[in-house]
Amino acid sequence: MAVEAYNVNIPETALTELRQRLSLTDLPDELDEAGWDMGAPLADIRRLIAVWKDDFDWRKSEAEINELPNYRTVIQAEGFEPLSIHFVHQTSPVPGAIPLLFCHGWPGSFLEVRKLLPLLAAGDGTSTVAFHVVAPSLPNFGFSEGTKKKGFGLKQYAETCHKLMLKLGYQQYITQGGDWGFHITRTIGLLYPTHCVASHLNVTECYPPSLLSNPLLFLKHALTPYTAYERAGLARTASHTAHGMGYDITQRTKPQTLSCALTSSPAGLLAWLYEKLHEWTDAYPWTDAEIVTWVSLYWFSTAGVAANLRIYYESWHNMDMRSDSVHYDRALHHIPGVKLGIAHFPRDLSVLPNSWAATLGEVVLQRRHGHGGHFAAVEHPEVIVEDLVVMMGKGGGAYGSVGGRDGYK
């Protein structure tokens, strides 16, 4: 299948069924003054169900999505069936524009790139660096198809994204990602270092420097006190590990069981995702329309409401014992040959010291930002773009790393 333009068009029957299911919702009781302590407050969920059922105009959101440059094509990971992959592809008129792969995570989607697109399009190749932008719906997410075979893990997600970039004519490119985008783009760098030459990451998952692997960095780490920002980041990370990992443990161990609940109940899906949108951001002012659009992308997912959960299980389990499987933990260690830019945000889920992040590879840019959480491209798109421009522009640590494409005319 060649690359072809794509328009989202959810059948009216699916919209009718959604409203019917929402109208039949039974909600639980709630303890007095529970607030957010036990999860999403009942009043919020009741309000959002009413908005989704009675007030939300999916066709308006769908039309706005269709204003983006949407495409699809077929990509086949080795050993798996061909999958139709949806992606956004914004090209620049600048001859030397840098190809940028934007990779979302869970519970995100390709739509996270929307606020980045006009900012990146402003790159004129003269005063500032220019980019071509590719933002796929990952397999099993959004408007991409999902696999029916076990074993589709990080290697296959990385292979699919890499083959998409090659199919679009980008032999070398850079990446940007957080959440699963962190792990997938790190895996791309591991498997295809001559193609993926630089990565910008808006989350850090890694370990402290060790004496055996990096003695100089270990000594610097041992002798340098943590800053106030780093101490607060470690506290934030410890709090999330202790109190916010229930979803992760469930999805990486028994995703099929949870899938039954989320597939049967749009209200359940709403509560499951809304909690993360609230808890993982830095007081971001979500509108009800934003929230239900976000959740609708999961409800109307081509692969099914809960196919996306399997990335957790597959990345932690080598189900068919392949020798070339890439485990979740591999991305947390040093990967050579890829220049790294790292953005820290204080309300992300993992906010680790600079010295820890330096273990990941050749770090050419590392910035600590004063505000922001897990969904940086939505909360502070201008910060992500500024990092990319500084990193890839003239004088930046990764300037000229993409062969024949330095971002300028």
Side-chain angles (χ1 to χ4, degrees):
M1 176 183 178
V3 173
E4 63 180 25
Y6 176 72
N7 275 313
V8 180
N9 185 18
I10 301 302
E12 193 63 34
T13 54
L15 299 176
T16 300
E17 180 186 340
L18 170 61
R19 289 189 289 268
Q20 291 173 339
R21 287 176 180 265
L22 289 169
S23 70
L24 296 172
T25 299
D26 285 326
L27 291 172
D29 64 353
E30 183 179 55
L31 298 182
D32 293 342
E33 301 179 359
W36 280 93
D37 292 347
M38 296 183 180
L42 188 58
D44 284 17
I45 298 304
R46 185 177 286 116
R47 183 192 78 251
L48 289 167
I49 289 173
V51 169
W52 203 7
K53 178 171 66 75
D54 300 323
D55 302 326
F56 176 60
D57 185 352
W58 165 257
R59 293 302 181 199
K60 178 181 177 182
S61 292
E62 186 178 72
E64 291 171 350
I65 291 171
N66 284 331
E67 290 176 359
L68 301 174
N70 293 286
Y71 299 89
R72 65 179 178 181
T73 193
V74 171
I75 303 291
Q76 183 171 13
E78 185 178 355
F80 290 83
E81 71 272 45
L83 299 177
S84 175
I85 301 298
H86 159 258
F87 61 99
V88 169
H89 186 198
Q90 176 177 279
T91 58
S92 167
V94 176
I98 297 169
L100 167 64
L101 169 68
F102 175 88
C103 194
H104 69 81
W106 185 95
S109 73
F110 74 95
L111 205 56
E112 291 177 75
V113 81
R114 179 160 58 179
K115 291 183 180 181
L116 298 178
L117 293 177
L119 301 177
L120 290 169
D124 59 9
T126 301
S127 60
T128 188
V129 65
F131 297 91
H132 302 302
V133 185
V134 179
S137 292
L138 293 172
N140 299 307
F141 287 78
F143 302 119
S144 289
E145 290 182 336
T147 181
K148 298 300 182 183
K149 297 179 66 174
K150 295 190 299 184
F152 198 99
L154 285 172
K155 181 179 184 295
Q156 287 69 40
Y157 283 97
E159 181 183 350
T160 300
C161 290
H162 172 63
K163 285 182 173 179
L164 173 61
M165 295 301 280
L166 295 184
K167 192 168 188 176
L168 295 176
Y170 302 134
Q171 292 298 314
Q172 286 194 322
Y173 54 88
I174 70 168
T175 65
Q176 201 290 317
D179 195 85
W180 283 111
F182 169 92
H183 287 272
I184 293 168
T185 60
R186 294 277 291 160
T187 303
I188 293 172
L190 174 69
L191 299 177
Y192 312 107
T194 61
H195 296 273
C196 174
V197 296
S199 293
H200 181 270
L201 310 168
N202 59 272
V203 71
T204 49
E205 295 184 51
C206 49
Y207 298 102
S210 71
L211 180 60
L212 291 178
S213 62
N214 197 323
L216 291 179
L217 187 58
F218 172 81
L219 290 173
K220 181 179 178 181
H221 169 257
L223 296 172
T224 306
Y226 291 141
T227 66
Y229 190 112
E230 290 173 326
R231 292 194 299 272
L234 287 168
R236 166 68 172 170
T237 305
S239 176
H240 175 71
T241 301
H243 305 293
M245 291 290 285
Y247 81 96
D248 184 274
I249 295 169
T250 301
Q251 291 177 185
R252 81 165 90 136
T253 55
K254 302 296 179 183
Q256 191 64 28
T257 304
L258 176 61
S259 295
C260 293
L262 301 186
T263 302
S264 297
S265 172
L269 177 69
L270 169 65
W272 193 248
L273 301 188
Y274 171 59
E275 175 204 302
K276 281 70 177 175
L277 299 184
H278 177 274
E279 294 288 272
W280 295 1
T281 51
D282 190 5
Y284 178 74
W286 294 103
T287 67
D288 289 350
E290 280 182 297
I291 293 166
V292 294
T293 296
W294 197 293
V295 179
S296 294
L297 290 176
Y298 277 76
W299 185 256
F300 296 132
S301 172
T302 298
V305 174
N308 54 86
L309 303 180
R310 299 181 190 126
I311 190 173
Y312 286 81
Y313 190 100
E314 299 280 22
S315 299
W316 282 91
H317 298 80
N318 186 3
M319 295 181 71
D320 51 4
M321 303 307 292
R322 286 167 296 158
S323 60
D324 63 348
S325 177
V326 178
H327 187 269
Y328 178 95
D329 191 64
R330 180 62 186 89
L332 280 58
H333 296 273
H334 186 272
I335 292 176
V338 181
K339 298 180 186 299
L340 298 180
I342 296 172
H344 301 270
F345 293 91
R347 294 296 296 171
D348 208 338
L349 312 183
S350 178
V351 189
L352 300 175
N354 281 21
S355 57
W356 295 33
T359 66
L360 291 171
E362 184 185 350
V363 177
V364 299
L365 177 75
Q366 190 161 190
R367 287 180 159 185
R368 298 195 166 276
H369 301 290
H371 303 281
H374 193 60
F375 303 105
V378 174
E379 297 177 70
H380 293 287
E382 73 288 349
V383 170
I384 298 296
V385 172
E386 181 183 352
D387 277 10
L388 287 168
V389 168
V390 171
M391 177 180 171
M392 301 306 302
K394 292 178 179 178
Y399 171 69
S401 57
V402 179
R405 299 176 183 266
D406 66 357
Y408 295 91
K409 294 180 179 179

